[in-house]
Amino acid sequence: MIHDPLEDLPGYALRRVSAAVMAKLAEGLSRLDLRPAESTVLLVIGANPGVTQSEVGRLLGIASANMAPLVARLADRGLIVREAVDGRSQGLTLSDGGRRITVKTRSVVDELESDLLARIPAVERAAFLKVLFALARDQDD
Amino acid sequence: MIHDPLEDLPGYALRRVSAAVMAKLAEGLSRLDLRPAESTVLLVIGANPGVTQSEVGRLLGIASANMAPLVARLADRGLIVREAVDGRSQGLTLSDGGRRITVKTRSVVDELESDLLARIPAVERAAFLKVLFALARDQDD
DNA sequence: CCGTATAGCTATACAATATAGCTATTCATC
DNA sequence: GATGAATAGCTATATTGTATAGCTATACGG
């Protein structure tokens, strides 16, 4: 057996777990023809009708250069509607079709999140989640 | 303030924390002209002289199609040496230059891992790491 | 009014990963 | 020992997420 010099590294463990979760998410979303980044954008717009794409990008940590084609694709598919709020910003709203697909998206996401939670022993669950969310909030800089 | 519908999702938190850690790692490795995936390959070869690239790929979850150009680049740079162990496999070993850069790699990695650990409150640290490593091991399927 | 910041966009590049398909070698089994 | 299956390594190609540079037009503070 070969030795794994990375097995004690929390950063590497985070990377592997995250990659596995993302792979499952991508697979679950594929039947909706949605990519992970698109699904999060839909969820944020659904929860905040009228947000601008720059606000969405800031919340999700997606650069504006990458938001542009992403939002354009969602608009081209008729999932979201863009309405000018001033001369340079557009408020984003889900269309009826967008709402339907967002409901399905949420169920895909929720199922994966449940699977993940189920794999965390109940004893450590609270501590694990507390640290994880704290780290995630921390990262917002 | 806009509402974040993802703030309660552990899977999404994992993704954000992992992305932030990876970004810092990529930045730290950039002065060695190494990419994250290459650095892990070097560390594994350093800890297991003579491993084949397929063994490294299996350990790290890198597909053989992606290992080929990755190992080729490390060999082209003179960081690793390939020696035939049989007609189709090659044992990988660090060259002197590879050993030097791997030492530096380890110090970059160790510093980031220390930073990460330092951000986990001592009270929850053991539980957090236990769950994280269990999830990472789990994922190996 | 004017300088600066911001919104949105294009073009481009890169890293990691994925699939398909290929050759050649090894190995188990008949 | 021959043969079929599995394996090692490789190429080509595509996708996803992300990064940088640079652009236009609008909004806003002094």
Side-chain angles (χ1 to χ4, degrees), chain A residues 50-102:
Chain A
V51 277
T52 64
Q53 81 183 45
S54 52
E55 289 171 324
V56 176
R58 264 192 300 276
L59 183 68
L60 297 177
I62 302 176
S64 79
N66 301 319
M67 281 298 293
L70 200 165
V71 165
R73 195 175 99 101
L74 295 176
D76 286 349
R77 287 178 65 186
L79 301 180
I80 64 176
V81 177
R82 292 190 267 201
E83 278 175 313
V85 299
D86 66 30
R88 61 178 176 174
S89 314
Q90 294 158 344
L92 305 177
T93 320
L94 296 181
S95 67
D96 288 346
R99 249 183 303 278
R100 277 193 296 275
I101 209 170
T102 301

Side-chain angles (χ1 to χ4, degrees), chain A residues 22 25 29 34-48 56 59-62 67 70 74 102 105 109, chain B residues 4-6 9 12 15-16:
Chain A
M22 287 298 291
L25 176 63
L29 291 173
L34 280 181
R35 294 171 279 197
E38 291 172 340
S39 73
T40 60
V41 167
L42 286 179
L43 290 171
V44 170
I45 296 173
N48 302 277
V56 176
L59 183 68
L60 297 177
I62 302 176
M67 281 298 293
L70 200 165
L74 295 176
T102 301
T105 295
V109 170
Chain B
D4 184 356
L6 306 164
L9 306 182
Y12 184 69
R15 176 175 161 191
R16 291 298 296 271

Side-chain angles (χ1 to χ4, degrees), chain B residues 35-38 61-63 65-66 86-88:
Chain B
R35 294 170 277 197
E38 291 173 339
I62 302 176
N66 301 320
D86 66 32
R88 63 180 173 174

Side-chain angles (χ1 to χ4, degrees), chain B residues 107-121:
Chain B
S107 85
V108 168
V109 169
D110 286 347
E111 192 185 322
L112 288 178
E113 296 287 353
S114 299
D115 287 353
L116 179 59
L117 281 179
R119 286 162 49 212
I120 305 174

Side-chain angles (χ1 to χ4, degrees), chain B:
Chain B
M1 193 48 196
I2 77 180
H3 174 240
D4 184 356
L6 306 164
E7 71 183 349
D8 295 328
L9 306 182
Y12 184 69
L14 267 171
R15 176 175 161 191
R16 291 298 296 271
V17 176
S18 166
V21 170
M22 287 297 290
K24 280 188 202 163
L25 176 62
E27 191 200 332
L29 290 173
S30 66
R31 64 186 165 83
L32 302 178
D33 190 19
L34 280 181
R35 294 170 277 197
E38 291 173 339
S39 73
T40 60
V41 168
L42 286 179
L43 289 172
V44 170
I45 295 172
N48 302 276
V51 278
T52 64
Q53 80 183 47
S54 54
E55 288 171 324
V56 176
R58 263 191 301 276
L59 183 68
L60 297 177
I62 302 176
S64 79
N66 301 320
M67 281 298 293
L70 200 164
V71 165
R73 196 175 99 99
L74 295 176
D76 287 350
R77 288 178 64 186
L79 301 181
I80 64 176
V81 178
R82 293 189 268 201
E83 278 175 310
V85 299
D86 66 32
R88 63 180 173 174
S89 314
Q90 292 156 346
L92 305 177
T93 320
L94 296 182
S95 68
D96 288 345
R99 248 184 303 278
R100 277 193 295 275
I101 210 171
T102 302
V103 169
K104 292 180 193 164
T105 295
R106 209 176 327 251
S107 85
V108 168
V109 169
D110 286 347
E111 192 185 322
L112 288 178
E113 296 287 353
S114 299
D115 287 353
L116 179 59
L117 281 179
R119 286 162 49 212
I120 305 174
V123 205
E124 286 104 4
R125 195 171 300 159
F128 180 77
L129 293 179
K130 182 182 165 195
V131 171
L132 183 60
F133 288 131
L135 288 175
R137 250 176 286 116
D138 239 42
Q139 235 80 39
D140 297 342
D141 48 326

